[in-house]
Amino acid sequence: MISVAIDGPSGAGKSTLSRKAAEKLGYIYVDTGALYRTVGLKFSRIGADTELNCDINEVLETTQVDLRYVDGAQRVFLDGEDVSDLIRSPEASMMASAVSAKPEVREFLLEMQRKLARENNVLMDGRDIGTVVLPNATVKIYLTASAEARAKRRYEELCEKGVAVTYEDVYNDMIQRDYNDMNRKTAPLKQAPDAVLADTSVNTFEQSLELILKIIKEGLETK
């Protein structure tokens, strides 16, 4: 099976680009960020804050996260409820960062991700796919962009969805999440030594997609 691992900071466009690239390649797309957002939503619903001052394993024992493909699109379910749209708020982003720093949560989701890669040609994006989840991935890409470019894209995305937010708040949340992701003790965000760097700061979506597909094609040719 072929596995493509795409890592990078929040707002780099991983999900959108990965979904489209997987579609063009005919691979299964796995948005691991959505999994962590979903677990974060569960903790939010029980009243936990970002410090997660609760019995994490006890909460996970009553948590069911599923990936399903509806009309070719990935949807994520929490305890049987489709929460694909609910997990895209700035608050969900911060909770995702909080839960992803916990070894118990990472272990909870790890086997699900690896099983998908064992059974399918996959394109998987996240923070530690090439370094931890799929260390032997066929192709590894580290997708990034400047904090300003990422914040601008996320701000415009939220505005289109009617979310009342300021650019300054989005930018500050982005900087804080970068810090949290890169400095957590468990599986911090970093570029794998054998990953190809793809900086899309000044690219259009089409240019970024072309770059990703080019890197994947060249990576497969060398295997």
Side-chain angles (χ1 to χ4, degrees), residues 10 14 31-44 48-52 86-103 105-106 109 126-128 154 173 176-178 180-181 184 186-187:
S10 177
K14 295 187 304 297
D31 176 3
T32 63
L35 301 178
Y36 285 100
R37 286 169 177 267
T38 301
V39 174
L41 178 61
K42 177 61 174 276
F43 279 87
S44 293
D49 59 18
T50 54
E51 297 300 318
L52 299 187
L86 297 177
I87 60 174
R88 294 300 171 184
S89 68
E91 293 77 15
S93 292
M94 294 307 293
M95 282 302 293
S97 185
V99 299
S100 65
K102 301 299 182 180
V105 176
R106 305 199 74 83
L109 295 173
R127 300 290 189 282
D128 65 342
R154 180 60 58 81
D173 285 346
Q176 184 62 54
R177 187 163 189 199
D178 285 352
N180 292 346
D181 289 344
R184 66 191 184 205
T186 303

Side-chain angles (χ1 to χ4, degrees), residues 11-217:
K14 295 187 304 297
S15 298
T16 309
L17 287 167
S18 297
R19 183 180 296 108
K20 193 63 177 180
E23 179 184 315
K24 286 186 173 293
L25 294 166
Y27 296 176
I28 293 293
Y29 166 58
V30 183
D31 176 3
T32 63
L35 301 178
Y36 285 100
R37 286 169 177 267
T38 301
V39 174
L41 178 61
K42 177 61 174 276
F43 279 87
S44 293
R45 286 181 167 179
I46 66 166
D49 59 18
T50 54
E51 297 300 318
L52 299 187
N53 294 316
C54 59
D55 188 326
I56 295 174
N57 284 320
E58 183 177 325
V59 176
L60 294 176
E61 286 173 4
T62 62
T63 300
Q64 181 179 355
V65 178
D66 296 302
L67 285 180
R68 304 178 194 173
Y69 292 85
V70 181
D71 297 328
Q74 176 187 278
R75 307 291 293 180
V76 62
F77 288 75
L78 172 62
D79 300 332
E81 176 191 355
D82 186 343
V83 295
S84 304
D85 298 324
L86 297 177
I87 60 174
R88 294 300 171 184
S89 68
E91 293 77 15
S93 292
M94 294 307 293
M95 282 302 293
S97 185
V99 299
S100 65
K102 301 299 182 180
E104 302 94 325
V105 176
R106 305 199 74 83
E107 186 64 29
F108 175 72
L109 295 173
L110 183 59
E111 179 53 28
M112 175 193 299
Q113 297 167 63
R114 288 181 172 169
K115 183 173 186 291
L116 286 166
R118 287 196 300 268
E119 299 176 352
N120 306 274
N121 290 332
V122 298
L123 196 158
M124 192 176 296
D125 72 49
R127 300 290 189 282
D128 65 342
I129 308 305
T131 53
V132 176
V133 180
L134 301 178
N136 298 314
T138 316
V139 178
K140 298 180 185 179
I141 299 171
Y142 189 83
L143 182 68
T144 190
S146 69
E148 292 78 9
R150 290 184 285 122
K152 182 174 182 292
R153 293 169 187 170
R154 180 60 58 81
Y155 171 70
E156 291 173 348
E157 174 188 336
L158 292 170
C159 287
E160 287 178 4
K161 293 181 178 180
V163 179
V165 66
T166 67
Y167 168 81
E168 289 73 20
D169 285 343
V170 173
Y171 177 81
N172 290 334
D173 285 346
M174 192 80 66
I175 295 298
Q176 184 62 54
R177 187 163 189 199
D178 285 352
Y179 178 84
N180 292 346
D181 289 344
M182 293 177 180
N183 290 278
R184 66 191 184 205
K185 293 181 179 179
T186 303
L189 168 65
K190 61 182 178 180
Q191 181 178 346
D194 53 345
V196 178
L197 179 66
D199 190 320
T200 66
S201 297
V202 298
N203 288 5
T204 64
F205 176 81
E206 291 72 19
Q207 290 170 331
S208 297
L209 178 60
E210 183 179 346
L211 174 61
I212 294 300
L213 292 172
K214 179 175 180 288
I215 294 172
I216 293 172
K217 179 182 178 182

